[in-house]
Amino acid sequence: MAPHRFLAVLGLPVLFLGVAAADDVRLNQIQVVGSHNSYHIEPAPGVLEVIARANVRGAENLQYTHPPLAEQFQSRKIRQIELDVFADPEGGLFADPPIRKLALLTGKDAGPEADPDGRLRKPGIKVLHVPGVDYRTTAPTLVDALQQVRAWSQANPRHVPLMILVELKTPETARITGKAVPFDAERLAALEAEILSVFPREEILTPDDVRGESASLPDAIHTRGWPKLDAVRGRVMFALDNTGAERETYLQGHPALAGRLMFASVDEKNPAAAWFKMNDPIKDFEAIQRLVKAGFMVRTRADADTRQARDGSTTMRDKALASGAQFVSTDYPVPDSRLTDYHVALPGGVVAHSNPISGDRAWDGRDLEKQD
């Protein structure tokens, strides 16, 4: 029997002997490691060479590969992923990347076909980085990615919630090829429909679940707090990466995100404020800490554009972890043997630990994904 449960049976305080009950941990009181562009596979050598001819540093930025999502969850202890998504209502927009054809014409190693099984030619939301250029992915479609997540989740039902960050790619962000369809209200409805085609609503921690009967998400967080960790194990939560027009369209007609599946990064005074995207933990270190102390949740990054893995710098990583951001995203949960030994992991190799800002220090050293 776990120590705190034994003490409870005896009628003794749970904090006796300095043991804090894991049952009391709330979702915002943990910290986990996430992966950036979690679907990404490094371009084939010939494609990378073509990219480097135009932009050497741009090619270097793409030299990282993540394994399939289940492997990230299982062996790399990732609990937050990021998916870049493109609307493709008719199908086929991304099935024939021009840069692969160029690499083949010049006799270079262009790697495997972009669409060997025809999934990219079917209608539906696609997952990739840069259309026509950086297109290799372990999950060609959103449904495929989510099915991978749900299969692992069902096989490991006591995991801490998996946060899925969704970035809506638009014509502007895909301006190299101009093949992206805007995410208007209709396309956003299609996005949520695809999510619900894989995950039943009860398996998703939604803004409605957190807000409850409160008038706004900040009111709920300040008065009732985030759910207890044990109450939301085995679930997923979605967050919208975009902060521009797509976010405003997503919020329109849904005050405080009522009825929506995804959290959104907004001003902290907004009725929809609960989670924030703050990618620079050095510049925003104090702001992140303040938000976490106020009960909000934050995602930040430990590295960017392969820079830290190339020079071995840990400043950004260390700031990210110390900031208290609940989700710390990286391209390197393990080192890249071609570069340095740089990588991101929680102390002691745990999956989830007590948040350095909002957590209870009595929980330090414990893996909060594991139940006593």
Side-chain angles (χ1 to χ4, degrees):
M1 181 181 293
H4 70 273
R5 297 189 188 281
F6 177 70
L7 293 172
V9 168
L10 295 179
L12 297 175
V14 169
L15 295 180
F16 183 73
L17 298 180
V19 178
D23 302 32
D24 294 331
V25 181
R26 291 186 180 271
L27 181 57
N28 66 307
Q29 293 180 292
I30 68 173
Q31 185 178 62
V32 298
V33 174
S35 57
H36 164 253
N37 290 349
S38 309
Y39 55 85
H40 189 263
I41 301 174
E42 182 178 317
V47 172
L48 204 61
E49 185 176 334
V50 173
I51 297 171
R53 287 179 185 174
N55 186 336
V56 172
R57 187 69 188 102
E60 291 178 347
N61 292 351
L62 306 179
Q63 288 184 284
Y64 63 96
T65 293
H66 291 298
L69 297 174
E71 184 177 337
Q72 293 185 52
F73 299 142
Q74 194 68 33
S75 65
R76 299 193 175 185
K77 302 175 182 179
I78 293 298
R79 293 297 180 267
Q80 178 253 308
I81 61 172
E82 178 184 4
L83 302 175
D84 292 337
V85 300
F86 293 81
D88 186 12
E90 303 300 325
L93 285 180
F94 313 109
D96 297 302
I99 200 167
R100 186 174 186 277
K101 295 178 180 179
L102 181 58
L104 288 171
L105 285 173
T106 55
K108 306 298 183 183
D109 175 8
E113 293 182 23
D115 188 27
D117 56 10
R119 275 183 286 179
L120 295 182
R121 298 190 182 280
K122 297 177 181 179
I125 294 172
K126 306 303 190 297
V127 177
L128 68 153
H129 191 214
V130 181
V133 179
D134 188 26
Y135 54 86
R136 297 182 70 192
T137 173
T138 61
T141 72
L142 177 61
V143 167
D144 180 46
L146 298 182
Q147 287 175 338
Q148 292 180 38
V149 174
R150 188 165 189 255
W152 184 87
S153 177
Q154 290 187 305
N156 299 271
R158 299 302 293 165
H159 63 78
V160 300
L162 304 172
M163 200 274 264
I164 302 170
L165 182 63
V166 178
E167 181 174 0
L168 311 177
K169 292 297 188 86
T170 65
E172 176 60 23
T173 55
R175 59 188 178 275
I176 295 174
T177 60
K179 284 190 172 182
V181 176
F183 273 95
D184 56 15
E186 180 183 358
R187 299 273 69 80
L188 287 169
L191 170 70
E192 291 207 331
E194 288 202 14
I195 292 173
L196 291 173
S197 75
V198 178
F199 282 100
R201 188 176 289 270
E202 61 269 20
E203 294 180 13
I204 304 171
L205 177 65
T206 68
D208 286 344
D209 295 328
V210 175
R211 191 181 55 259
E213 299 300 320
S214 298
S216 71
L217 281 164
D219 287 345
I221 289 167
H222 296 150
T223 59
R224 187 173 59 256
W226 287 85
K228 288 188 176 182
L229 183 59
D230 277 352
V232 290
R233 290 181 183 273
R235 293 167 77 176
V236 297
M237 59 185 295
F238 291 86
L240 179 64
D241 183 89
N242 303 66
T243 55
E246 297 79 21
R247 179 192 66 186
E248 297 312 306
T249 301
Y250 192 70
L251 291 168
Q252 189 173 4
H254 295 269
L257 289 169
R260 286 303 201 185
L261 298 182
M262 297 188 287
F263 292 88
S265 186
V266 296
D267 182 85
E268 62 187 284
K269 301 298 184 182
N270 192 301
W275 164 85
F276 294 84
K277 179 186 76 170
M278 304 186 76
N279 285 341
D280 189 339
I282 297 176
K283 176 176 69 72
D284 294 325
F285 183 76
E286 292 182 358
I288 294 172
Q289 287 197 325
R290 180 180 59 78
L291 288 168
V292 173
K293 288 177 182 177
F296 294 111
M297 297 184 76
V298 177
R299 179 265 192 175
T300 195
R301 293 183 64 176
D303 43 74
D305 300 327
T306 75
R307 290 192 300 269
Q308 289 74 17
R310 293 180 186 280
D311 64 22
S313 170
T314 62
T315 301
M316 186 174 175
R317 178 194 72 184
D318 296 345
K319 280 287 191 181
L321 292 169
S323 73
Q326 288 85 355
F327 309 103
V328 177
S329 181
T330 179
D331 288 323
Y332 300 95
V334 298
D336 185 330
S337 60
R338 302 171 298 179
L339 305 174
T340 67
D341 64 356
Y342 173 86
H343 68 288
V344 180
L346 297 179
V350 301
V351 173
H353 73 170
S354 184
N355 190 289
I357 300 301
S358 60
D360 191 321
R361 300 282 64 83
W363 301 322
D364 285 350
R366 298 171 62 182
D367 189 339
L368 295 177
E369 176 152 292
K370 298 178 180 177
Q371 292 180 291
D372 293 333

